[in-house]
């Protein structure tokens, strides 16, 4: 009989995938955090060109120079962050960047802090690295309670900030990001800033990069959400040159490099016209109105999330069960941490028709 490693057998499977895979025929699946748009044409064309030109071999472990330069330029232009190319590493999606960051930073027993509720990967990857994940209290609109976080930061190893947030759509105000990063770095705590939803913000709100406020910050991003490229598996992290050097020791053995074709496509995405991003943002904004307005009409009232493409309304277990039974598949909030109990995550990266149909079914359940 195969004897599996305890650090893996002890890991719970993703709560999100379970619901996604359980969606039956005729159901409206609002569980998966993936854009329903297609990748923009100019990005696909860059990938086709790379193929036609035979750029199909291994690339440098850390990524092709064109893409590293494009990430450096993007970070300066959009985030106000100054990186040299040797401070950036290209990965197979933000997921691999998160895995590498945790592996490089976390020793056995180290405390890794993240919001509660949070994206499921943070606690899982921290545990896999031998660390002890710890949820931080969130308050109004599920934003991190800064003063409570400060009390927990002493003696911790890593603080994860994810703004805009999956699953809640919360956007941390600049004052909170600054206070958290400054306090964390002073206390010797490295900040991992997961910025994959940075462009999807609403009502004039802006998401700020944590790296602006401290030196010990690992910035994680990807083309996945911004350019509707989840299947291309292309992300990156940026931090110190030493971080890249350490992480590359794992990446070169475990991954070798991100897909060559996806790397050329990503360079075109970052350097090409950005109106495709604006168009997606506008469509998400309209869908957010549709979903929030529809839920409010049913008496499900909650602070409108300012970012990402999720709403996290209050819904007790019984209501969630009945909504799912009516064929609208959502994820119970407790899948994202204890503070998510009594809520559900609804993804609005789906067509307006699908969202309207889902709201009708929810209305049928609520109104009996
Ligand atoms: C907050 C957050 N970070 C990272 C990821 C992973 O992104 P990628 O598809 O680039 O690996 C996701 C995907 O859902 C996410 O929601």
């Amino acid at each position: 009989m195969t004897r599996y490693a305890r650090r893996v057998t002890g890991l719970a499977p993703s709560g999100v995938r379970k619901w996604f895979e359980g969606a039956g025929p005729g159901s409206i699946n609002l569980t998966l955090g993936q854009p329903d748009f297609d990748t923009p044409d100019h990005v696909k064309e860059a990938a086709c060109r790379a193929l036609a030109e035979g750029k199909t071999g291994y690339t440098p472990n850390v990524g092709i120079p064109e893409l590293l330069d494009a990430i450096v330029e993007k970070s300066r232009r959009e985030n106000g962050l100054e990186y040299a190319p040797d401070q950036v590493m290209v990965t197979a999606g933000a997921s691999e960047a998160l895995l590498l960051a945790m592996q490089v930073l976390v020793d056995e027993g180290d405390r890794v802090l993240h919001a509660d509720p949070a994206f499921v990967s943070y606690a899982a990857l921290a545990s896999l690295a031998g660390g002890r994940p710890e949820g931080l209290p969130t308050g109004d609109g599920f934003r991190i309670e800064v003063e409570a976080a400060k009390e927990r930061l002493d003696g911790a190893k890593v603080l994860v900030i994810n703004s805009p947030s999956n699953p809640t759509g919360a956007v941390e105000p600049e004052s909170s990001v600054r206070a958290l990063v400054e306090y964390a770095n002073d206390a010797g705590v490295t900040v991992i800033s997961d910025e994959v939803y940075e462009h999807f913000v609403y009502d004039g709100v802006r998401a700020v990069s944590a790296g602006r406020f401290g030196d010990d910050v690992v910035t994680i991003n990807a083309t996945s959400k911004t350019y509707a490229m989840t299947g291309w598996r292309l992300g990156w992290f940026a931090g110190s040159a030493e971080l890249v050097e350490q992480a590359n020791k794992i990446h070169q053995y475990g991954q070798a490099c991100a897909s060559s074709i996806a790397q050329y496509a990503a360079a075109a995405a970052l350097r090409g016209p950005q109106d495709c991003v604006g168009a997606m943002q506008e469509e998400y904004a309209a869908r957010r109105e549709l979903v929030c307005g529809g839920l409010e009409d049913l008496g499900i009232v909650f602070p409108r999330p300012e970012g990402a493409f999720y709403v996290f309304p209050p819904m007790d277990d019984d209501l969630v069960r009945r909504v799912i039974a009516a064929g609208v598949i959502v994820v119970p909030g407790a899948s994202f941490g204890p503070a998510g109990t009594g809520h559900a995550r609804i993804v609005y990266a789906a067509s307006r028709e699908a969202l309207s149909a889902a709201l009708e079914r929810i209305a049928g359940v609520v109104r009996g």
Side-chain angles (χ1 to χ4, degrees), residues 33 92-95 98 119 122 162 166 194 196-197 222 224-225 230 233-234 310:
S95 300
L98 284 167
F119 177 45
Y122 306 140
N162 171 218
N166 173 8
D194 180 343
V196 296
Y197 296 105
S224 308
K225 317 283 179 177
T230 44
R233 308 311 304 131
L234 199 291
Y310 307 101

Side-chain angles (χ1 to χ4, degrees), residues 293-307:
L295 292 172
E296 283 161 14
D297 287 348
L298 295 174
I300 303 175
V301 179
F302 56 104
R304 288 192 177 191
E306 293 170 327

